[in-house]
Amino acid sequence: MPEIEFINLLGVLGIALIAPLALGFAPRLRIPAVVLEIVLGFVVGPAGLDWLEVDLAVQIVALLGLAMLLFLAGLEVDVEHLKGGLLPIAAAGYAVSLALGWLIGLGLDAAGWVRDPLLLAVALSATSLGLVVAVLKDSGLLATPVAQTTIAAASLADFAAVLLLSLLFSADGKGTGSQLVLFLLFAGIVAVVVVAVSATAHSLRLSQVVVSLQDTTAEIRVRGAVLLMVAFVVLAEELGLESILGAFLAGAAVAALDRNSASHPHFRLKLDAIGYGFLIPVFFITSGMRLDVSGLFGSAEEMLKLPVYVAALLVVRGVPALLYLKRLGTNGSISAGLLQATSLPFIVAATQIGTLTGRMSEETATGLVCAGLVSVLVFPALAISLLGSKEAARPAER
Protein backbone atom coordinates (compact mmCIF):
# COMPACT_ATOMS: atom_id res chain seq x y z
CA MET A 1 0.00 0.00 0.00
CA PRO A 2 1.53 3.33 -1.05
CA GLU A 3 2.24 5.75 1.76
CA ILE A 4 0.13 8.92 1.54
CA GLU A 5 1.22 12.04 3.38
CA PHE A 6 -1.35 14.49 4.69
CA ILE A 7 0.87 17.49 5.48
CA ASN A 8 -0.24 19.42 2.38
CA LEU A 9 -3.90 18.61 3.02
CA LEU A 10 -3.43 19.88 6.57
CA GLY A 11 -2.17 23.19 5.19
CA VAL A 12 -5.05 23.44 2.73
CA LEU A 13 -7.60 22.78 5.48
CA GLY A 14 -5.92 25.45 7.58
CA ILE A 15 -6.47 27.96 4.77
CA ALA A 16 -10.07 26.78 4.47
CA LEU A 17 -10.55 27.74 8.12
CA ILE A 18 -8.62 31.02 8.00
CA ALA A 19 -10.30 32.47 4.88
CA PRO A 20 -13.88 32.81 6.21
CA LEU A 21 -12.61 33.79 9.67
CA ALA A 22 -10.60 36.65 8.17
CA LEU A 23 -13.64 37.85 6.24
CA GLY A 24 -15.76 37.53 9.37
CA PHE A 25 -13.51 40.06 11.12
CA ALA A 26 -13.81 42.43 8.14
CA PRO A 27 -17.49 42.28 7.11
CA ARG A 28 -17.30 45.54 5.16
CA LEU A 29 -15.05 43.94 2.56
CA ARG A 30 -18.02 41.87 1.28
CA ILE A 31 -15.64 39.50 -0.54
CA PRO A 32 -16.96 35.97 -1.16
CA ALA A 33 -14.87 33.40 0.70
CA VAL A 34 -14.24 31.50 -2.54
CA VAL A 35 -12.23 34.44 -3.90
CA LEU A 36 -9.99 34.58 -0.85
CA GLU A 37 -9.57 30.80 -0.92
CA ILE A 38 -8.31 30.86 -4.51
CA VAL A 39 -6.02 33.83 -3.81
CA LEU A 40 -4.55 32.24 -0.68
CA GLY A 41 -4.12 28.97 -2.56
CA PHE A 42 -2.08 30.80 -5.17
CA VAL A 43 -0.02 32.56 -2.48
CA VAL A 44 1.01 29.33 -0.74
CA GLY A 45 1.23 27.24 -3.92
CA PRO A 46 4.16 26.45 -6.23
CA ALA A 47 3.77 29.70 -8.19
CA GLY A 48 3.73 31.75 -4.98
CA LEU A 49 5.61 31.05 -1.75
CA ASP A 50 5.83 27.34 -2.61
CA TRP A 51 4.81 26.24 0.87
CA LEU A 52 2.29 23.64 -0.28
CA GLU A 53 1.90 21.35 -3.27
CA VAL A 54 -0.96 19.44 -4.84
CA ASP A 55 -0.04 15.89 -3.82
CA LEU A 56 -2.18 12.76 -4.04
CA ALA A 57 -4.17 13.36 -0.86
CA VAL A 58 -5.02 16.94 -1.90
CA GLN A 59 -5.91 15.82 -5.44
CA ILE A 60 -8.38 13.19 -4.18
CA VAL A 61 -10.18 15.57 -1.84
CA ALA A 62 -10.19 18.32 -4.50
CA LEU A 63 -11.80 15.96 -7.03
CA LEU A 64 -14.48 15.09 -4.48
CA GLY A 65 -14.87 18.82 -3.88
CA LEU A 66 -15.49 19.49 -7.58
CA ALA A 67 -18.06 16.69 -7.68
CA MET A 68 -19.77 18.04 -4.56
CA LEU A 69 -19.79 21.57 -5.98
CA LEU A 70 -21.59 20.41 -9.14
CA PHE A 71 -23.86 18.16 -7.08
CA LEU A 72 -24.99 21.09 -4.92
CA ALA A 73 -25.40 23.23 -8.06
CA GLY A 74 -27.69 20.55 -9.48
CA LEU A 75 -29.53 20.49 -6.16
CA GLU A 76 -30.40 24.17 -6.68
CA VAL A 77 -32.19 23.42 -9.95
CA ASP A 78 -35.93 23.74 -9.51
CA VAL A 79 -38.21 23.35 -12.53
CA GLU A 80 -40.85 25.34 -10.66
CA HIS A 81 -38.77 28.46 -11.33
CA LEU A 82 -39.14 27.88 -15.08
CA LYS A 83 -42.91 28.07 -15.03
CA GLY A 84 -44.98 31.12 -15.91
CA GLY A 85 -43.33 31.78 -19.27
CA LEU A 86 -39.78 31.86 -17.92
CA LEU A 87 -38.59 28.73 -19.75
CA PRO A 88 -38.72 30.18 -23.30
CA ILE A 89 -37.15 33.43 -22.09
CA ALA A 90 -34.36 31.58 -20.28
CA ALA A 91 -33.76 29.33 -23.31
CA ALA A 92 -33.64 32.31 -25.67
CA GLY A 93 -31.26 34.09 -23.32
CA TYR A 94 -28.90 31.14 -23.24
CA ALA A 95 -28.96 30.87 -27.03
CA VAL A 96 -28.00 34.55 -27.22
CA SER A 97 -25.18 33.90 -24.73
CA LEU A 98 -23.76 31.10 -26.86
CA ALA A 99 -24.01 33.17 -30.04
CA LEU A 100 -22.28 36.17 -28.45
CA GLY A 101 -19.63 33.95 -26.88
CA TRP A 102 -18.92 32.25 -30.20
CA LEU A 103 -18.57 35.61 -32.01
CA ILE A 104 -16.23 36.91 -29.31
CA GLY A 105 -14.32 33.63 -29.47
CA LEU A 106 -13.89 33.99 -33.24
CA GLY A 107 -12.51 37.48 -32.75
CA LEU A 108 -10.08 36.38 -30.05
CA ASP A 109 -9.12 33.35 -32.13
CA ALA A 110 -8.28 35.65 -35.05
CA ALA A 111 -6.14 37.71 -32.65
CA GLY A 112 -4.33 34.55 -31.53
CA TRP A 113 -5.64 34.72 -27.96
CA VAL A 114 -7.68 31.50 -27.85
CA ARG A 115 -7.45 28.11 -29.54
CA ASP A 116 -11.11 27.06 -29.55
CA PRO A 117 -13.83 29.75 -29.91
CA LEU A 118 -16.65 27.36 -29.02
CA LEU A 119 -14.97 26.23 -25.82
CA LEU A 120 -14.61 29.88 -24.81
CA ALA A 121 -18.31 30.44 -25.54
CA VAL A 122 -19.35 27.49 -23.38
CA ALA A 123 -16.94 28.47 -20.58
CA LEU A 124 -18.45 31.97 -20.42
CA SER A 125 -22.07 30.84 -20.67
CA ALA A 126 -22.72 29.63 -17.11
CA THR A 127 -23.63 31.45 -13.89
CA SER A 128 -22.49 30.73 -10.33
CA LEU A 129 -25.99 29.74 -9.26
CA GLY A 130 -25.10 28.83 -5.69
CA LEU A 131 -23.25 32.10 -5.12
CA VAL A 132 -26.01 34.20 -6.71
CA VAL A 133 -28.69 32.50 -4.60
CA ALA A 134 -26.63 33.16 -1.45
CA VAL A 135 -26.16 36.85 -2.33
CA LEU A 136 -29.86 37.34 -3.04
CA LYS A 137 -30.85 35.51 0.12
CA ASP A 138 -28.50 37.55 2.30
CA SER A 139 -29.87 40.76 0.73
CA GLY A 140 -33.49 39.82 1.41
CA LEU A 141 -34.31 39.80 -2.32
CA LEU A 142 -34.79 36.09 -2.92
CA ALA A 143 -38.56 36.35 -3.40
CA THR A 144 -38.44 39.28 -5.84
CA PRO A 145 -39.10 39.00 -9.59
CA VAL A 146 -35.47 39.88 -10.34
CA ALA A 147 -34.24 37.01 -8.18
CA GLN A 148 -36.73 34.47 -9.52
CA THR A 149 -35.99 35.40 -13.14
CA THR A 150 -32.24 35.27 -12.56
CA ILE A 151 -32.41 31.92 -10.77
CA ALA A 152 -34.52 30.43 -13.57
CA ALA A 153 -32.10 31.63 -16.26
CA ALA A 154 -29.06 30.55 -14.26
CA SER A 155 -30.52 27.08 -13.64
CA LEU A 156 -31.04 26.50 -17.35
CA ALA A 157 -27.66 27.99 -18.22
CA ASP A 158 -25.78 25.83 -15.72
CA PHE A 159 -27.44 22.65 -16.94
CA ALA A 160 -26.87 23.50 -20.62
CA ALA A 161 -23.26 24.55 -20.03
CA VAL A 162 -22.39 21.36 -18.14
CA LEU A 163 -24.09 19.28 -20.83
CA LEU A 164 -22.33 21.04 -23.72
CA LEU A 165 -18.96 20.84 -22.00
CA SER A 166 -19.38 17.11 -21.52
CA LEU A 167 -20.69 16.42 -25.04
CA LEU A 168 -18.33 18.63 -27.02
CA PHE A 169 -15.10 18.76 -25.06
CA SER A 170 -14.78 15.50 -23.17
CA ALA A 171 -11.25 14.39 -22.43
CA ASP A 172 -12.29 10.97 -23.73
CA GLY A 173 -11.91 12.21 -27.31
CA LYS A 174 -15.00 10.52 -28.78
CA GLY A 175 -17.02 12.24 -31.52
CA THR A 176 -20.03 14.42 -30.72
CA GLY A 177 -22.46 11.88 -32.17
CA SER A 178 -21.11 9.11 -29.97
CA GLN A 179 -21.15 11.42 -26.97
CA LEU A 180 -24.79 12.28 -27.63
CA VAL A 181 -25.77 8.62 -27.78
CA LEU A 182 -23.90 7.98 -24.54
CA PHE A 183 -25.58 10.96 -22.90
CA LEU A 184 -29.03 9.74 -23.92
CA LEU A 185 -28.16 6.35 -22.44
CA PHE A 186 -26.92 8.04 -19.28
CA ALA A 187 -30.04 10.23 -19.05
CA GLY A 188 -32.20 7.14 -19.45
CA ILE A 189 -30.42 5.39 -16.60
CA VAL A 190 -30.78 8.50 -14.43
CA ALA A 191 -34.52 8.62 -15.18
CA VAL A 192 -34.92 4.94 -14.30
CA VAL A 193 -33.08 5.46 -11.01
CA VAL A 194 -35.24 8.47 -10.12
CA VAL A 195 -38.44 6.57 -10.90
CA ALA A 196 -37.25 3.50 -8.98
CA VAL A 197 -36.23 5.49 -5.90
CA SER A 198 -39.46 7.48 -6.05
CA ALA A 199 -41.50 4.26 -6.24
CA THR A 200 -39.72 2.66 -3.29
CA ALA A 201 -40.22 5.85 -1.28
CA HIS A 202 -43.96 5.07 -1.26
CA SER A 203 -43.29 2.01 0.86
CA LEU A 204 -44.65 2.89 4.31
CA ARG A 205 -42.27 0.52 6.11
CA LEU A 206 -39.21 1.84 4.23
CA SER A 207 -40.24 5.45 4.86
CA GLN A 208 -40.56 4.76 8.57
CA VAL A 209 -37.10 3.19 8.69
CA VAL A 210 -35.53 6.07 6.76
CA VAL A 211 -37.14 8.68 9.02
CA SER A 212 -35.96 6.79 12.09
CA LEU A 213 -32.37 6.72 10.82
CA GLN A 214 -32.06 10.13 9.14
CA ASP A 215 -31.00 12.09 12.24
CA THR A 216 -29.01 9.35 13.98
CA THR A 217 -25.37 8.49 13.42
CA ALA A 218 -26.57 6.51 10.40
CA GLU A 219 -27.46 9.80 8.57
CA ILE A 220 -29.18 7.57 6.05
CA ARG A 221 -30.38 10.31 3.69
CA VAL A 222 -26.93 11.88 3.50
CA ARG A 223 -25.33 8.50 2.82
CA GLY A 224 -27.86 7.81 0.09
CA ALA A 225 -27.25 11.21 -1.55
CA VAL A 226 -23.47 10.78 -1.49
CA LEU A 227 -23.80 7.25 -2.86
CA LEU A 228 -25.98 8.55 -5.69
CA MET A 229 -23.47 11.32 -6.48
CA VAL A 230 -20.49 8.97 -6.63
CA ALA A 231 -22.48 6.37 -8.57
CA PHE A 232 -23.48 8.91 -11.22
CA VAL A 233 -19.91 10.23 -11.42
CA VAL A 234 -18.58 6.70 -11.95
CA LEU A 235 -21.30 5.93 -14.49
CA ALA A 236 -20.55 9.12 -16.44
CA GLU A 237 -16.84 8.30 -16.51
CA GLU A 238 -17.49 4.71 -17.60
CA LEU A 239 -19.61 6.01 -20.48
CA GLY A 240 -16.88 8.43 -21.52
CA LEU A 241 -18.72 11.54 -20.30
CA GLU A 242 -17.35 14.19 -17.97
CA SER A 243 -17.67 13.41 -14.27
CA ILE A 244 -19.08 16.89 -13.62
CA LEU A 245 -22.14 15.96 -15.68
CA GLY A 246 -22.76 12.94 -13.47
CA ALA A 247 -22.40 15.00 -10.30
CA PHE A 248 -24.70 17.74 -11.60
CA LEU A 249 -27.42 15.31 -12.66
CA ALA A 250 -27.14 13.52 -9.34
CA GLY A 251 -27.90 16.81 -7.61
CA ALA A 252 -30.81 17.48 -9.96
CA ALA A 253 -32.12 13.96 -9.30
CA VAL A 254 -31.99 14.47 -5.53
CA ALA A 255 -33.76 17.82 -5.97
CA ALA A 256 -36.52 16.08 -7.93
CA LEU A 257 -36.88 13.39 -5.26
CA ASP A 258 -36.67 15.80 -2.33
CA ARG A 259 -39.79 17.90 -2.99
CA ASN A 260 -41.49 17.22 0.33
CA SER A 261 -38.94 18.12 2.97
CA ALA A 262 -41.32 18.45 5.92
CA SER A 263 -40.08 15.21 7.47
CA HIS A 264 -36.38 15.98 6.95
CA PRO A 265 -35.83 19.77 7.16
CA HIS A 266 -32.10 19.46 7.91
CA PHE A 267 -31.17 17.21 4.99
CA ARG A 268 -29.87 19.91 2.67
CA LEU A 269 -28.13 21.72 5.51
CA LYS A 270 -26.16 18.55 6.17
CA LEU A 271 -25.16 18.26 2.52
CA ASP A 272 -24.08 21.90 2.55
CA ALA A 273 -22.02 21.17 5.67
CA ILE A 274 -20.15 18.34 3.94
CA GLY A 275 -19.65 20.35 0.78
CA TYR A 276 -18.93 23.88 1.94
CA GLY A 277 -17.49 22.83 5.28
CA PHE A 278 -14.91 20.40 3.90
CA LEU A 279 -14.72 19.33 0.28
CA ILE A 280 -15.47 22.43 -1.81
CA PRO A 281 -12.96 24.79 -0.13
CA VAL A 282 -10.21 22.24 -0.87
CA PHE A 283 -11.17 22.33 -4.55
CA PHE A 284 -11.00 26.12 -4.73
CA ILE A 285 -7.77 26.40 -2.75
CA THR A 286 -6.24 23.71 -4.96
CA SER A 287 -7.38 25.62 -8.05
CA GLY A 288 -5.50 28.64 -6.71
CA MET A 289 -2.41 26.52 -6.05
CA ARG A 290 -2.48 25.42 -9.69
CA LEU A 291 -2.66 28.98 -11.05
CA ASP A 292 0.42 30.28 -12.79
CA VAL A 293 -0.05 34.00 -13.42
CA SER A 294 3.48 34.51 -14.70
CA GLY A 295 2.30 34.09 -18.28
CA LEU A 296 -0.69 36.40 -17.80
CA PHE A 297 1.14 39.18 -16.00
CA GLY A 298 4.50 38.64 -17.65
CA SER A 299 3.95 41.43 -20.19
CA ALA A 300 1.74 44.45 -20.77
CA GLU A 301 0.10 42.68 -23.72
CA GLU A 302 -0.92 39.73 -21.57
CA MET A 303 -2.20 42.01 -18.79
CA LEU A 304 -4.49 43.75 -21.27
CA LYS A 305 -6.27 40.46 -21.86
CA LEU A 306 -7.78 40.37 -18.36
CA PRO A 307 -10.18 43.35 -18.81
CA VAL A 308 -11.11 41.92 -22.22
CA TYR A 309 -12.06 38.60 -20.63
CA VAL A 310 -14.07 40.41 -17.93
CA ALA A 311 -15.88 42.44 -20.60
CA ALA A 312 -16.52 39.28 -22.61
CA LEU A 313 -18.10 37.61 -19.58
CA LEU A 314 -20.29 40.64 -18.96
CA VAL A 315 -21.42 40.79 -22.59
CA VAL A 316 -22.06 37.07 -22.97
CA ARG A 317 -24.21 36.74 -19.85
CA GLY A 318 -25.31 40.34 -19.34
CA VAL A 319 -26.71 41.26 -22.75
CA PRO A 320 -29.35 38.44 -22.75
CA ALA A 321 -30.91 40.15 -19.72
CA LEU A 322 -32.32 42.71 -22.16
CA LEU A 323 -34.97 40.07 -22.81
CA TYR A 324 -36.28 40.76 -19.30
CA LEU A 325 -37.01 44.47 -19.89
CA LYS A 326 -40.77 44.01 -20.13
CA ARG A 327 -40.83 41.77 -17.07
CA LEU A 328 -38.34 43.58 -14.81
CA GLY A 329 -37.82 47.10 -16.12
CA THR A 330 -34.47 48.77 -16.77
CA ASN A 331 -32.91 48.58 -13.29
CA GLY A 332 -34.13 45.04 -12.76
CA SER A 333 -32.81 43.86 -16.13
CA ILE A 334 -29.39 45.43 -15.58
CA SER A 335 -29.20 43.87 -12.12
CA ALA A 336 -30.21 40.47 -13.51
CA GLY A 337 -27.54 40.81 -16.20
CA LEU A 338 -24.85 41.53 -13.61
CA LEU A 339 -25.95 38.58 -11.50
CA GLN A 340 -26.02 36.28 -14.54
CA ALA A 341 -22.49 37.38 -15.43
CA THR A 342 -21.23 36.26 -12.02
CA SER A 343 -19.33 33.07 -12.76
CA LEU A 344 -16.37 31.23 -11.30
CA PRO A 345 -16.80 27.52 -10.38
CA PHE A 346 -17.79 26.48 -13.90
CA ILE A 347 -15.00 28.57 -15.43
CA VAL A 348 -12.52 26.79 -13.19
CA ALA A 349 -13.88 23.39 -14.24
CA ALA A 350 -14.05 24.31 -17.95
CA THR A 351 -10.52 25.71 -18.06
CA GLN A 352 -9.15 22.60 -16.37
CA ILE A 353 -10.79 20.43 -19.03
CA GLY A 354 -9.58 22.83 -21.74
CA THR A 355 -5.94 22.64 -20.64
CA LEU A 356 -6.17 18.87 -20.16
CA THR A 357 -7.41 18.36 -23.74
CA GLY A 358 -5.02 20.93 -25.23
CA ARG A 359 -7.85 23.18 -26.41
CA MET A 360 -6.81 26.02 -24.10
CA SER A 361 -3.44 27.41 -23.11
CA GLU A 362 -2.43 27.84 -19.47
CA GLU A 363 -2.30 31.62 -19.98
CA THR A 364 -5.85 31.75 -21.34
CA ALA A 365 -7.10 29.49 -18.54
CA THR A 366 -5.48 31.70 -15.91
CA GLY A 367 -6.91 34.83 -17.52
CA LEU A 368 -10.43 33.40 -17.55
CA VAL A 369 -10.21 32.28 -13.92
CA CYS A 370 -8.99 35.76 -12.93
CA ALA A 371 -11.90 37.25 -14.89
CA GLY A 372 -14.22 34.99 -12.94
CA LEU A 373 -12.68 36.24 -9.70
CA VAL A 374 -13.34 39.83 -10.78
CA SER A 375 -16.95 38.98 -11.67
CA VAL A 376 -17.57 37.44 -8.25
CA LEU A 377 -16.00 40.44 -6.52
CA VAL A 378 -17.71 43.20 -8.50
CA PHE A 379 -20.91 42.14 -10.28
CA PRO A 380 -23.11 41.00 -7.35
CA ALA A 381 -22.21 44.11 -5.33
CA LEU A 382 -23.14 46.35 -8.25
CA ALA A 383 -26.41 44.47 -8.79
CA ILE A 384 -27.48 44.73 -5.15
CA SER A 385 -26.50 48.40 -5.04
CA LEU A 386 -28.52 49.07 -8.16
CA LEU A 387 -31.55 47.33 -6.75
CA GLY A 388 -31.08 49.19 -3.49
CA SER A 389 -34.09 47.64 -1.81
CA LYS A 390 -36.96 45.24 -2.32
CA GLU A 391 -39.01 48.11 -3.69
CA ALA A 392 -36.47 48.72 -6.48
CA ALA A 393 -36.68 45.08 -7.49
CA ARG A 394 -40.35 45.23 -8.40
CA PRO A 395 -41.24 44.47 -12.01
CA ALA A 396 -41.91 47.25 -14.47
CA GLU A 397 -45.42 48.54 -14.89
CA ARG A 398 -47.16 46.81 -17.78
Side-chain angles (χ1 to χ4, degrees):
M1 178 177 178
E3 183 177 349
I4 300 178
E5 296 184 353
F6 293 94
I7 185 66
N8 288 293
L9 181 59
L10 174 64
V12 170
L13 293 176
I15 294 173
L17 177 65
I18 291 170
L21 277 177
L23 294 175
F25 281 107
R28 291 186 178 182
L29 289 179
R30 301 183 69 85
I31 299 175
V34 59
V35 174
L36 188 56
E37 288 164 2
I38 292 177
V39 171
L40 290 178
F42 168 76
V43 170
V44 303
L49 298 174
D50 198 19
W51 290 351
L52 299 175
E53 64 180 53
V54 185
D55 59 10
L56 182 59
V58 174
Q59 287 181 45
I60 292 172
V61 180
L63 283 173
L64 288 172
L66 174 59
M68 196 68 183
L69 178 66
L70 271 295
F71 175 82
L72 292 178
L75 199 60
E76 295 286 351
V77 173
D78 187 352
V79 294
E80 294 295 325
H81 285 134
L82 294 172
K83 292 182 177 180
L86 279 178
L87 179 58
I89 295 176
Y94 187 74
V96 171
S97 285
L98 282 181
L100 290 172
W102 183 66
L103 290 174
I104 291 173
L106 288 177
L108 296 181
D109 182 35
W113 288 18
V114 300
R115 297 175 183 174
D116 192 320
L118 186 56
L119 175 57
L120 178 72
V122 174
L124 296 177
S125 68
T127 296
S128 293
L129 180 59
L131 191 148
V132 167
V133 169
V135 168
L136 290 168
K137 184 176 182 180
D138 291 343
S139 303
L141 298 167
L142 196 58
T144 63
V146 170
Q148 295 303 305
T149 302
T150 303
I151 291 171
S155 298
L156 182 67
D158 279 11
F159 175 76
V162 171
L163 178 60
L164 288 175
L165 186 66
S166 184
L167 291 180
L168 301 177
F169 307 105
S170 174
D172 186 82
K174 293 189 175 89
T176 304
S178 299
Q179 292 293 99
L180 182 58
V181 172
L182 291 172
F183 168 72
L184 292 175
L185 174 61
F186 180 55
I189 296 174
V190 170
V192 169
V193 170
V194 171
V195 171
V197 174
S198 179
T200 56
H202 287 87
S203 167
L204 181 60
R205 177 55 180 159
L206 178 61
S207 297
Q208 290 174 340
V209 171
V210 169
V211 170
S212 69
L213 294 175
Q214 65 185 6
D215 293 319
T216 68
T217 55
E219 293 292 356
I220 199 67
R221 289 187 186 276
V222 174
R223 294 190 190 196
V226 173
L227 172 63
L228 192 66
M229 179 189 76
V230 175
F232 280 13
V233 166
V234 171
L235 178 60
E237 290 179 339
E238 289 297 316
L239 292 175
L241 301 170
E242 289 298 330
S243 59
I244 59 173
L245 178 63
F248 188 88
L249 288 183
V254 171
L257 292 168
D258 186 46
R259 294 199 172 278
N260 182 19
S261 59
S263 64
H264 48 278
H266 305 302
F267 173 52
R268 297 200 181 193
L269 290 176
K270 294 173 182 178
L271 293 175
D272 284 346
I274 296 173
Y276 295 112
F278 174 38
L279 298 172
I280 294 174
V282 175
F283 166 68
F284 282 120
I285 294 166
T286 303
S287 299
M289 292 168 65
R290 286 172 169 155
L291 283 180
D292 183 3
V293 300
S294 59
L296 181 63
F297 298 107
S299 67
E301 180 183 357
E302 291 295 326
M303 289 182 66
L304 287 174
K305 294 181 179 181
L306 178 57
V308 174
Y309 291 142
V310 175
L313 182 58
L314 184 58
V315 169
V316 169
R317 291 301 290 145
V319 169
L322 294 175
L323 296 172
Y324 313 148
L325 277 172
K326 185 177 180 181
R327 176 183 291 267
L328 303 178
T330 302
N331 278 3
S333 297
I334 295 174
S335 298
L338 288 167
L339 291 169
Q340 286 185 174
T342 302
S343 182
L344 183 59
F346 182 77
I347 290 178
V348 173
T351 54
Q352 287 185 3
I353 291 174
T355 54
L356 180 64
T357 58
R359 296 173 181 267
M360 184 178 291
S361 67
E362 292 286 350
E363 293 79 11
T364 301
T366 301
L368 289 174
V369 171
C370 289
L373 287 169
V374 172
S375 78
V376 170
L377 277 171
V378 177
F379 295 165
L382 288 177
I384 298 304
S385 298
L386 185 61
L387 289 174
S389 67
K390 297 179 183 179
E391 294 298 318
R394 286 182 175 178
E397 295 295 332
R398 301 285 177 97

